[in-house]
Amino acid sequence: MQVKILSYYRLHKIPILLALASILFYYTFAYHLVRTDFVKLITLATALFFICYKLIQFEKWNFKFLLTAGILFRLVFLCVEPMLSQDYNRFIWDGELVLQGLNPYLQTPDTIVELGKISIHNAAHLYASMGEISAKNFSNYPPLNQLIFALAAFFSGKSMVGGIITMRIIILLADIGVVYFGRKLLTHLNLSSHLVFWYFLNPLVVIELTGNLHFEGVMLFFFIWSMYLLSQKKYLLAAPILALSIAVKLVPLMFLPLFIRHLGIKKAVPFYVIIGTTILVLLFPFYSPEFINNYATTIGLWFNNFEFNASIYNIIKKVAEANGSRDWETIKAFGKISPYVTIAMVLLFSFLRNNKTITNLFTSMLWVLTIYYFISTTIHPWYIIFLVLLSIFTKFRYAILWSAAVFLSYWAYSNPDFKEHLGILTIEYIAIFSFIIYEILRLKRQNLLYPKKETSKLG
């Protein structure tokens, strides 16, 4: 046994040392990083991305090694409170309400505290830590997410550590599920199965999902499972699974029109009916006359009130400021227009692009979400994770670059007033736009952007 271990170490010495270095860096990230220390944050992120690249380069066909490394990286964060996000406090708060049979969509935390009629474990800490914006608004997390929050609250007890560990285990298992179905789908599409590790080992994924407790990974687990089922022609089974993805995060909703040309009208109708029915069933326990208005109001804030790490919007805002417009006037006007632009863009990709194959479908999804992010006023780092997963099933890799460059946006956290540095954001987006242009030109030269023929296996 000892001889085998030594032999394995000699064969994989450099990757093992790199993995151990990553564990050390993730430990520093989890336990010794203050989010206001931007220099330390960006240095750690840069080192972790370099090691991620080298690990995949050295061990891309060693599935067990890369899977084990990814799991170990995530376990580093198991018991520590997130350092870069305070959202988890609202997660546990909402979960406590659900456990008591109360609807988290009907009252804001501010209202609950003012009334003082509801007893919540660790209420003072949760309320003080969730942030002013979260405290004064209704919950915007879909129903399946609320059930996960309730599970976390059930195990949280008085210390909250149980709730944090519960959420981390769920997110970790979801990421493993993404690897499982992602590899199967890549193999079916005749693509290299190791590409899934650009998701699983990606430092943004590890830090923002397991580390900061964002549930994009759970959404993506159901999403990639449904896409695998769709590739197997099991569209009636794929439909409820896709509905579960939407019930965790709403993002996949914008992809629904893209399935019309992929499935054809006869198959698309039952597909949509099953998705709609599943979502209604999940919403039913939370429904009340006030629910729709409260939820729509909260979602509307993302278009009309919040701004972070925006690209096109920041350019428009600067032009508007030069012409005497105020910030709030600009974002209100932009927020009214951007939903219509998004709808028009989704319809264009739905009816003018050939989405018959799974590969084309993924490419359309990638561009729809990319353009949506470019016209959005708020792009938090963890939003890019969906693009990372979509990209590995296409010819484009700009999302991987974006997953690294998006760490520049955390400059805002180094300031007490969260003021952004437009120069730093300009560097981020020049790098992204430049690489997108490079990839489009490269694929055009190789005749891969619009291939004349595609193998039947890609369907």
Side-chain angles (χ1 to χ4, degrees):
M1 183 67 177
Q2 188 175 5
V3 174
K4 288 184 178 180
I5 294 173
L6 288 173
S7 177
Y8 187 87
Y9 175 75
R10 291 191 188 99
L11 285 172
H12 304 274
K13 181 179 179 179
I14 293 177
I16 289 172
L17 293 175
L18 288 173
L20 290 174
S22 271
I23 290 173
L24 178 62
F25 292 147
Y26 280 122
Y27 177 83
T28 305
F29 217 111
Y31 294 90
H32 299 287
L33 175 68
V34 179
R35 72 178 187 176
T36 55
D37 190 347
F38 178 74
V39 173
K40 188 174 184 179
L41 186 153
I42 205 69
T43 301
L44 286 170
T46 302
L48 287 166
F49 268 98
F50 174 76
I51 293 174
C52 170
Y53 165 71
K54 298 307 289 185
L55 284 175
I56 295 174
Q57 181 186 46
F58 287 139
E59 299 287 341
K60 61 183 179 181
W61 304 121
N62 193 341
F63 171 75
K64 290 183 179 178
F65 181 93
L66 295 180
L67 180 67
T68 302
I71 292 172
L72 290 176
F73 298 162
R74 287 161 169 79
L75 290 177
V76 170
F77 293 89
L78 189 61
C79 299
V80 67
E81 290 190 16
M83 294 300 297
L84 298 178
S85 174
Q86 57 198 22
D87 292 349
Y88 71 98
N89 294 286
R90 183 59 184 268
F91 299 165
I92 296 177
W93 177 281
D94 281 4
E96 288 281 357
L97 295 179
V98 174
L99 279 183
Q100 296 180 42
L102 301 171
N103 194 331
Y105 301 113
L106 300 186
Q107 290 182 309
T108 67
D110 279 349
T111 302
I112 291 172
V113 170
E114 287 173 10
L115 295 174
K117 294 181 180 179
I118 300 172
S119 176
I120 295 176
H121 291 301
N122 305 298
H125 174 76
L126 293 171
Y127 179 72
S129 302
M130 70 175 61
E132 181 184 347
I133 293 176
S134 181
K136 70 181 181 182
N137 288 300
F138 299 102
S139 181
N140 68 325
Y141 304 106
L144 187 54
N145 228 354
Q146 297 289 352
L147 297 177
I148 297 172
F149 299 161
L151 186 64
F154 179 78
F155 288 105
S156 65
K158 297 180 180 180
S159 69
M160 287 181 53
V161 175
I164 290 172
I165 292 174
T166 301
M167 286 189 283
R168 285 219 168 96
I169 290 173
I170 292 170
I171 292 169
L172 169 59
L173 293 174
D175 274 349
I176 294 172
V178 170
V179 172
Y180 176 76
F181 285 110
R183 288 183 81 233
K184 289 173 73 73
L185 185 52
L186 285 166
T187 301
H188 175 73
L189 298 177
N190 230 3
L191 298 171
S192 298
S193 61
H194 77 272
L195 290 172
V196 77
F197 288 105
W198 280 111
Y199 170 87
F200 194 63
L201 295 181
N202 191 302
L204 180 69
V205 177
V206 176
I207 291 166
E208 291 293 358
L209 302 192
T210 306
N212 292 329
L213 293 176
H214 296 295
F215 281 83
E216 270 68 13
V218 180
M219 169 192 70
L220 291 174
F221 163 65
F222 290 118
F223 171 79
I224 205 66
W225 183 6
S226 71
M227 293 301 292
Y228 172 71
L229 290 171
L230 200 64
S231 75
Q232 300 297 308
K233 310 299 182 184
K234 299 176 181 178
Y235 68 97
L236 295 179
L237 289 176
I241 305 300
L242 185 58
L244 293 179
S245 179
I246 295 168
V248 177
K249 295 279 185 176
L250 297 180
V251 179
L253 264 177
M254 72 171 64
F255 298 150
L256 292 185
L258 298 174
F259 292 98
I260 293 176
R261 292 196 67 184
H262 181 78
L263 294 171
I265 295 295
K266 289 184 179 179
K267 292 180 180 179
V269 170
F271 182 76
Y272 292 136
V273 168
I274 293 171
I275 290 174
T277 303
T278 305
I279 292 174
L280 288 175
V281 169
L282 291 169
L283 281 173
F284 181 76
F286 299 99
Y287 179 77
S288 74
E290 298 87 4
F291 164 74
I292 295 177
N293 182 62
N294 291 350
Y295 198 77
T297 300
T298 306
I299 295 299
L301 294 174
W302 295 101
F303 294 98
N304 300 315
N305 291 75
F306 302 150
E307 54 181 276
F308 180 80
N309 191 33
S311 57
I312 293 174
Y313 168 73
N314 272 326
I315 297 173
I316 292 174
K317 185 172 74 170
K318 276 296 179 184
V319 173
E321 285 176 356
N323 288 278
S325 178
R326 299 174 183 175
D327 284 357
W328 66 268
E329 293 174 330
T330 305
I331 195 170
K332 289 288 184 185
F334 193 85
K336 290 179 181 178
I337 297 171
S338 57
Y340 295 104
V341 175
T342 301
I343 292 170
M345 176 258 303
V346 170
L347 293 177
L348 284 173
F349 275 88
S350 297
F351 296 105
L352 298 184
R353 179 174 167 81
N354 178 11
N355 294 317
K356 287 291 185 180
T357 69
I358 291 291
T359 303
N360 278 1
L361 192 58
F362 270 115
T363 303
S364 293
M365 289 175 177
L366 179 69
W367 281 112
V368 163
L369 194 56
T370 298
I371 296 169
Y372 170 69
Y373 285 165
F374 283 153
I375 64 174
S376 293
T377 60
T378 303
I379 300 297
H380 288 299
W382 55 93
Y383 292 5
I384 308 305
I385 291 171
F386 204 152
L387 293 179
V388 172
L389 184 63
L390 290 172
S391 70
I392 66 176
F393 298 96
T394 74
K395 301 290 184 181
F396 295 95
R397 297 291 178 263
Y398 63 84
I400 296 173
L401 173 64
W402 199 350
S403 70
V406 77
F407 276 95
L408 292 171
S409 68
Y410 271 121
W411 167 270
Y413 283 24
S414 66
N415 302 302
D417 57 355
F418 297 100
K419 186 177 181 180
E420 294 183 291
H421 192 297
L422 292 183
I424 290 177
L425 294 186
T426 300
I427 294 171
E428 174 189 346
Y429 282 106
I430 284 178
I432 295 161
F433 284 125
S434 298
F435 198 72
I436 288 174
I437 293 169
Y438 161 75
E439 287 206 297
I440 290 174
L441 293 176
R442 175 177 60 84
L443 293 173
K444 188 176 181 181
R445 285 197 302 269
Q446 296 175 359
N447 200 29
L448 292 175
L449 193 57
Y450 301 104
K452 294 179 180 179
K453 295 183 180 181
E454 300 190 47
T455 62
S456 59
K457 189 174 182 179
L458 296 183

